Coordinates of all heavy atoms in Angstrom, one line a residue:
Q460 N 7.4 7.9 -14.0 CA 6.3 8.2 -14.9 C 5.4 7.0 -15.2 O 4.1 7.2 -15.3 CB 6.9 8.7 -16.2 CG 5.9 9.1 -17.3 CD 6.6 9.7 -18.5 OE1 7.7 10.1 -18.5 NE2 5.8 9.6 -19.6
R461 N 5.9 5.8 -15.3 CA 5.1 4.6 -15.5 C 5.4 3.7 -14.3 O 6.3 2.8 -14.4 CB 5.4 4.0 -16.8 CG 5.0 4.9 -18.0 CD 5.4 4.2 -19.3 NE 4.9 5.0 -20.4 CZ 5.6 6.0 -21.0 NH1 6.8 6.3 -20.4 NH2 5.2 6.7 -22.0
P462 N 4.7 3.8 -13.2 CA 5.0 3.0 -12.0 C 4.7 1.5 -12.3 O 3.8 1.1 -13.0 CB 4.1 3.5 -11.0 CG 2.9 4.1 -11.7 CD 3.5 4.7 -13.0
V463 N 5.5 0.6 -11.7 CA 5.3 -0.8 -11.7 C 4.6 -1.2 -10.5 O 5.1 -1.0 -9.3 CB 6.7 -1.5 -11.8 CG1 6.4 -3.1 -11.8 CG2 7.4 -1.1 -13.1
L464 N 3.4 -1.8 -10.6 CA 2.6 -2.2 -9.5 C 2.6 -3.7 -9.4 O 2.8 -4.5 -10.3 CB 1.2 -1.7 -9.7 CG 1.0 -0.2 -9.9 CD1 -0.5 0.1 -10.1 CD2 1.5 0.5 -8.7
L465 N 2.4 -4.2 -8.1 CA 2.3 -5.6 -7.9 C 1.0 -6.1 -8.4 O 0.0 -5.4 -8.4 CB 2.4 -5.9 -6.4 CG 3.7 -5.4 -5.7 CD1 3.5 -5.7 -4.2 CD2 4.9 -6.1 -6.2
R466 N 1.0 -7.4 -8.8 CA -0.3 -8.0 -9.2 C -1.1 -8.4 -8.0 O -1.4 -9.6 -7.8 CB 0.0 -9.2 -10.2 CG 0.6 -8.7 -11.5 CD 1.0 -9.9 -12.4 NE -0.2 -10.6 -12.8 CZ -1.0 -10.3 -13.8 NH1 -0.6 -9.3 -14.6 NH2 -2.0 -11.0 -14.2
R467 N -1.4 -7.5 -7.2 CA -2.1 -7.7 -5.9 C -3.2 -6.6 -5.8 O -3.3 -5.8 -6.7 CB -1.2 -7.7 -4.8 CG -0.1 -8.8 -4.9 CD 0.9 -8.7 -3.7 NE 2.0 -9.6 -3.8 CZ 3.1 -9.6 -3.0 NH1 3.0 -8.9 -1.9 NH2 4.1 -10.4 -3.2
S468 N -3.8 -6.5 -4.6 CA -4.8 -5.5 -4.4 C -4.1 -4.1 -4.2 O -2.9 -4.0 -4.0 CB -5.6 -5.8 -3.1 OG -4.8 -5.7 -2.0
V469 N -4.9 -3.1 -4.3 CA -4.4 -1.7 -4.0 C -3.8 -1.6 -2.6 O -2.7 -1.1 -2.5 CB -5.6 -0.8 -4.2 CG1 -5.3 0.6 -3.7 CG2 -6.0 -0.7 -5.7
L470 N -4.5 -2.2 -1.6 CA -4.0 -2.1 -0.3 C -2.7 -2.9 -0.2 O -1.7 -2.4 0.5 CB -5.0 -2.7 0.7 CG -4.5 -2.8 2.2 CD1 -4.2 -1.4 2.7 CD2 -5.6 -3.4 3.0
A471 N -2.6 -4.1 -0.8 CA -1.3 -4.9 -0.7 C -0.2 -4.1 -1.3 O 1.0 -4.2 -0.9 CB -1.5 -6.2 -1.4
N472 N -0.4 -3.3 -2.4 CA 0.6 -2.5 -3.0 C 1.1 -1.4 -2.0 O 2.3 -1.1 -2.0 CB 0.1 -1.9 -4.3 CG 0.3 -2.7 -5.5 OD1 1.4 -2.6 -6.1 ND2 -0.6 -3.6 -5.8
A473 N 0.2 -0.9 -1.2 CA 0.5 0.2 -0.3 C 1.3 -0.4 0.9 O 2.1 0.3 1.5 CB -0.7 1.0 0.2
L474 N 1.0 -1.7 1.3 CA 1.6 -2.3 2.4 C 3.0 -2.8 2.1 O 3.9 -2.8 3.0 CB 0.8 -3.5 2.9 CG -0.6 -3.2 3.6 CD1 -1.4 -4.5 3.7 CD2 -0.3 -2.7 5.0
Y475 N 3.3 -3.2 0.9 CA 4.5 -3.9 0.6 C 5.8 -3.0 0.8 O 6.7 -3.5 1.5 CB 4.5 -4.3 -0.9 CG 5.7 -5.1 -1.3 CD1 5.9 -6.4 -0.8 CD2 6.6 -4.6 -2.3 CE1 7.0 -7.1 -1.1 CE2 7.7 -5.4 -2.6 CZ 7.9 -6.6 -2.1 OH 9.0 -7.3 -2.4
P476 N 5.8 -1.8 0.4 CA 7.0 -1.0 0.7 C 7.2 -0.7 2.2 O 8.4 -0.6 2.7 CB 6.8 0.3 0.0 CG 5.4 0.4 -0.3 CD 4.9 -1.0 -0.4
L477 N 6.2 -0.7 3.0 CA 6.3 -0.6 4.4 C 7.0 -1.8 5.0 O 7.8 -1.7 6.0 CB 4.9 -0.4 5.1 CG 4.2 1.0 4.7 CD1 2.8 1.0 5.2 CD2 5.0 2.1 5.3
K478 N 6.6 -3.0 4.5 CA 7.2 -4.2 5.0 C 8.7 -4.2 4.6 O 9.6 -4.5 5.5 CB 6.6 -5.4 4.4 CG 7.2 -6.8 4.8 CD 6.4 -7.9 4.1 CE 7.0 -9.3 4.6 NZ 6.3 -10.4 3.9
L479 N 9.0 -3.8 3.4 CA 10.4 -3.7 3.0 C 11.3 -2.8 3.8 O 12.4 -3.0 4.1 CB 10.6 -3.3 1.5 CG 10.1 -4.3 0.5 CD1 10.3 -3.8 -0.9 CD2 10.8 -5.7 0.6
A480 N 10.6 -1.7 4.3 CA 11.3 -0.7 5.1 C 11.4 -1.1 6.5 O 12.0 -0.3 7.3 CB 10.5 0.7 4.9
G481 N 10.8 -2.2 6.9 CA 11.0 -2.6 8.3 C 10.0 -2.0 9.2 O 10.2 -2.0 10.5
V482 N 8.9 -1.4 8.7 CA 7.9 -0.8 9.6 C 7.2 -1.9 10.4 O 6.9 -3.0 9.8 CB 6.9 0.0 8.8 CG1 5.8 0.5 9.7 CG2 7.6 1.2 8.1
A483 N 7.0 -1.7 11.6 CA 6.3 -2.7 12.5 C 5.0 -3.2 11.9 O 4.2 -2.3 11.4 CB 6.1 -2.2 13.9
A484 N 4.7 -4.4 11.9 CA 3.5 -5.0 11.4 C 2.3 -4.3 12.0 O 1.2 -4.1 11.3 CB 3.4 -6.5 11.6
S485 N 2.3 -3.9 13.2 CA 1.2 -3.3 13.9 C 0.9 -1.9 13.4 O -0.2 -1.4 13.5 CB 1.5 -3.2 15.4 OG 2.6 -2.4 15.6
E486 N 1.8 -1.3 12.6 CA 1.6 0.1 12.1 C 1.3 0.1 10.6 O 0.7 1.1 10.1 CB 2.9 0.9 12.3 CG 3.4 1.1 13.7 CD 4.6 1.9 13.7 OE1 4.9 2.6 12.8 OE2 5.4 1.8 14.7
R487 N 1.5 -1.0 9.9 CA 1.4 -1.0 8.5 C 0.0 -0.7 7.9 O -0.1 0.1 7.0 CB 1.9 -2.3 7.9 CG 3.4 -2.5 8.1 CD 3.8 -3.9 7.5 NE 5.0 -4.4 8.2 CZ 5.4 -5.7 8.2 NH1 4.6 -6.6 7.7 NH2 6.5 -6.0 8.8
Q488 N -1.0 -1.4 8.5 CA -2.3 -1.2 8.0 C -2.8 0.3 8.1 O -3.3 0.8 7.2 CB -3.3 -2.1 8.8 CG -3.3 -3.6 8.4 CD -4.1 -3.8 7.1 OE1 -5.0 -3.0 6.8 NE2 -3.9 -4.9 6.4
D489 N -2.6 0.9 9.3 CA -3.0 2.2 9.5 C -2.3 3.2 8.5 O -2.9 4.1 8.0 CB -2.8 2.7 10.9 CG -3.7 2.0 11.9 OD1 -4.8 1.5 11.4 OD2 -3.5 2.1 13.1
R490 N -1.0 3.0 8.4 CA -0.2 3.9 7.5 C -0.6 3.7 6.1 O -0.8 4.7 5.3 CB 1.3 3.7 7.7 CG 1.8 4.3 9.0 CD 3.2 4.0 9.3 NE 4.1 4.6 8.3 CZ 5.5 4.7 8.4 NH1 6.0 4.3 9.6 NH2 6.2 5.2 7.5
A491 N -0.8 2.5 5.6 CA -1.2 2.2 4.3 C -2.6 2.8 4.0 O -2.8 3.4 2.9 CB -1.1 0.8 4.0
R492 N -3.5 2.6 4.9 CA -4.9 3.0 4.6 C -4.9 4.6 4.7 O -5.7 5.2 3.9 CB -5.8 2.4 5.6 CG -6.1 0.9 5.3 CD -7.1 0.3 6.2 NE -7.3 -1.1 6.0 CZ -8.0 -1.6 5.0 NH1 -8.7 -0.8 4.2 NH2 -8.1 -3.0 4.9
A493 N -4.2 5.2 5.6 CA -4.1 6.7 5.6 C -3.6 7.2 4.3 O -4.1 8.3 3.8 CB -3.3 7.1 6.8
A494 N -2.6 6.6 3.7 CA -2.0 7.0 2.5 C -3.0 6.9 1.3 O -3.1 7.8 0.5 CB -0.7 6.3 2.2
L495 N -3.7 5.8 1.3 CA -4.7 5.6 0.3 C -5.9 6.6 0.4 O -6.4 7.1 -0.6 CB -5.3 4.2 0.4 CG -4.4 3.0 0.0 CD1 -5.1 1.7 0.2 CD2 -3.9 3.2 -1.5
D496 N -6.2 6.9 1.6 CA -7.2 7.9 1.8 C -6.8 9.3 1.3 O -7.5 10.1 0.7 CB -7.6 8.0 3.3 CG -8.7 9.0 3.6 OD1 -9.8 8.8 3.0 OD2 -8.5 9.9 4.4
M497 N -5.5 9.6 1.6 CA -4.9 10.9 1.2 C -5.0 11.1 -0.3 O -5.2 12.2 -0.8 CB -3.5 11.0 1.7 CG -2.9 12.4 1.5 SD -2.0 12.6 0.0 CE -0.6 11.5 0.3
V498 N -4.8 10.0 -1.1 CA -4.8 10.1 -2.6 C -6.2 9.8 -3.2 O -6.4 9.7 -4.4 CB -3.8 9.2 -3.2 CG1 -2.4 9.6 -2.7 CG2 -4.1 7.7 -3.0
G499 N -7.2 9.5 -2.3 CA -8.5 9.3 -2.8 C -8.8 7.9 -3.3 O -9.7 7.7 -4.1
L500 N -8.1 6.9 -2.8 CA -8.2 5.5 -3.2 C -8.7 4.6 -2.1 O -8.7 3.4 -2.3 CB -6.9 5.0 -3.8 CG -6.4 5.6 -5.1 CD1 -5.1 4.9 -5.5 CD2 -7.4 5.4 -6.2
A501 N -9.1 5.1 -1.0 CA -9.5 4.3 0.2 C -10.6 3.3 -0.2 O -10.6 2.2 0.2 CB -9.9 5.2 1.3
A502 N -11.6 3.8 -1.0 CA -12.7 2.9 -1.4 C -12.3 1.8 -2.3 O -13.1 0.9 -2.6 CB -13.8 3.8 -2.0
L503 N -11.1 1.9 -2.9 CA -10.7 0.9 -3.9 C -9.6 0.0 -3.3 O -8.9 -0.7 -4.0 CB -10.1 1.6 -5.1 CG -11.0 2.5 -5.9 CD1 -10.3 3.1 -7.1 CD2 -12.3 1.9 -6.2
A504 N -9.5 -0.1 -2.0 CA -8.4 -0.8 -1.3 C -8.4 -2.3 -1.7 O -7.3 -2.9 -1.8 CB -8.5 -0.7 0.2
D505 N -9.5 -2.9 -1.9 CA -9.6 -4.3 -2.2 C -9.6 -4.6 -3.7 O -9.6 -5.8 -4.1 CB -10.8 -4.9 -1.6 CG -10.8 -4.9 0.0 OD1 -9.6 -5.0 0.5 OD2 -11.8 -4.7 0.6

């Protein structure tokens, strides 16, 4: 209900769990940006 966010950019928040999950570095940017686009936050990535 009250998510805890990193004190970083919107994009960095989307990238962090992918790193923890062991997703290849070459895939993380695309997956994170696609997820931000899906929720309507792509323009706020930075």
Side-chain angles (χ1 to χ4, degrees):
Q460 182 177 338
R461 295 179 179 84
V463 177
L464 302 179
L465 301 175
R466 294 177 64 85
R467 302 178 189 175
S468 71
V469 167
L470 178 59
N472 270 271
L474 287 167
Y475 185 66
L477 294 171
K478 180 179 180 180
L479 290 182
V482 175
S485 58
E486 297 179 23
R487 291 177 205 158
Q488 282 277 340
D489 287 346
R490 285 177 60 167
R492 290 186 182 277
L495 292 177
D496 184 58
M497 189 268 293
V498 303
L500 292 179
L503 304 182
D505 296 326

